[in-house]
Amino acid sequence: MPEFLKTAFGSDADIAFDDAVTRLCMALLLGSAVAFVYRWTRGRASDQRFIATLVLLTVLLTVTTIVIGNNVARAFSIVGALSIVRFRTVVEDTRDTAFVICAVAVGLAIGAGYLMVPALALVFVAAAAKLFSGDARRTSGTLRNAFTLHIRLAPLFTQREALQREIAAGTSQPTLIGIESVRSGSAVERSYEIDLAGESEADMLIERISTLEGVLSVEVKRILK
């Protein structure tokens, strides 16, 4: 290595090149494992961008920990630099937040030179995430699939409670995902994420909701993987 590079990057001697490469490879591997556990426990609800974020976060935290080493001053400098970063994306599901923390913990552990602890912890994280995943896709042995329900309502629609009852009666765990003004303000569209066993349930749900006064249209679309 040229002398000017040795002078400028003398701190690289704190960790051997082989050790750095090994830790980064393990960070990539265990970060992928964290993402796999997330995908395995979340199913269709998983976000591909979030999966990539978990892997990147693990690798980046490993790099950060390697750079910090045992240097307290360097640690405070990095914390100060990272404090200016602001994220606009809100993590709506607390389980997703737990996976972010998991990726951070794994990255920190690998960067500090630990392997057995994060690898063993992932086994327990996977077991806990699957055990308490709250997956309601199967009910009475029937596989339930994810759909979106779009309902267009008149602006002066007054039967909201009846609408909620019909949605709840026809599907499990309905989740409101959006409310939008459409047709130049002449209608309001409410969108839900729902679970249905199949076409017959969708037909019955559409039929029941369509009978409510003020409902202009009802549409059910399947969420593809």
Side-chain angles (χ1 to χ4, degrees):
M1 180 183 293
E3 187 62 30
F4 73 94
L5 286 179
K6 290 182 179 180
T7 303
F9 297 97
S11 296
D12 280 349
D14 294 342
I15 181 172
F17 176 79
D18 293 345
D19 291 341
V21 172
T22 301
R23 292 184 189 183
L24 290 173
C25 289
M26 292 308 302
L28 181 60
L29 180 62
L30 291 187
S32 299
V34 173
F36 172 78
V37 173
Y38 168 78
R39 178 69 177 83
W40 177 50
T41 56
R42 292 283 285 167
R44 293 188 180 89
S46 59
D47 186 340
Q48 295 299 321
R49 293 173 299 177
F50 187 71
I51 290 174
T53 300
L54 291 176
V55 180
L56 291 172
L57 192 59
T58 306
V59 175
L60 291 174
L61 262 295
T62 297
V63 174
T64 303
T65 309
I66 292 174
V67 171
I68 291 174
N70 296 322
N71 192 315
V72 177
R74 195 179 299 164
F76 280 107
S77 298
I78 291 178
V79 169
L82 294 178
S83 66
I84 66 174
V85 179
R86 295 291 184 269
F87 296 96
R88 297 181 179 272
T89 302
V90 178
V91 180
E92 298 179 353
D93 195 326
T94 54
R95 288 178 297 179
D96 292 352
T97 304
F99 278 103
V100 170
I101 297 173
C102 179
V104 170
V106 170
L108 290 175
I110 296 175
Y114 295 93
L115 176 61
M116 188 61 65
V117 172
L120 185 61
L122 270 178
V123 176
F124 289 90
V125 169
K130 189 63 176 178
L131 183 62
F132 299 102
S133 63
D135 191 355
R137 299 295 184 194
R138 291 186 179 272
T139 305
S140 301
T142 302
L143 179 63
R144 305 182 68 83
N145 298 302
F147 292 82
T148 54
L149 172 65
H150 304 278
I151 307 171
R152 289 192 176 184
L153 307 169
L156 300 179
F157 182 75
T158 58
Q159 301 190 61
R160 184 172 300 176
E161 292 184 1
L163 176 63
Q164 295 293 340
R165 285 197 301 269
E166 293 297 344
I167 296 174
T171 180
S172 61
Q173 298 182 337
T175 302
L176 179 65
I177 58 176
I179 302 176
E180 179 184 5
S181 176
V182 295
R183 295 180 180 177
S184 301
S186 62
V188 175
E189 182 174 297
R190 299 175 68 90
S191 301
Y192 299 83
E193 183 174 326
I194 60 176
D195 292 337
L196 296 172
E199 183 178 344
S200 59
E201 281 196 4
D203 289 337
M204 290 187 292
L205 179 62
I206 292 174
E207 183 178 353
R208 288 197 305 270
I209 294 177
S210 298
T211 59
L212 297 177
E213 184 178 355
V215 174
L216 304 179
S217 66
V218 184
E219 182 181 30
V220 174
K221 291 184 177 180
R222 182 168 183 171
I223 300 177
L224 300 177
K225 288 185 178 182

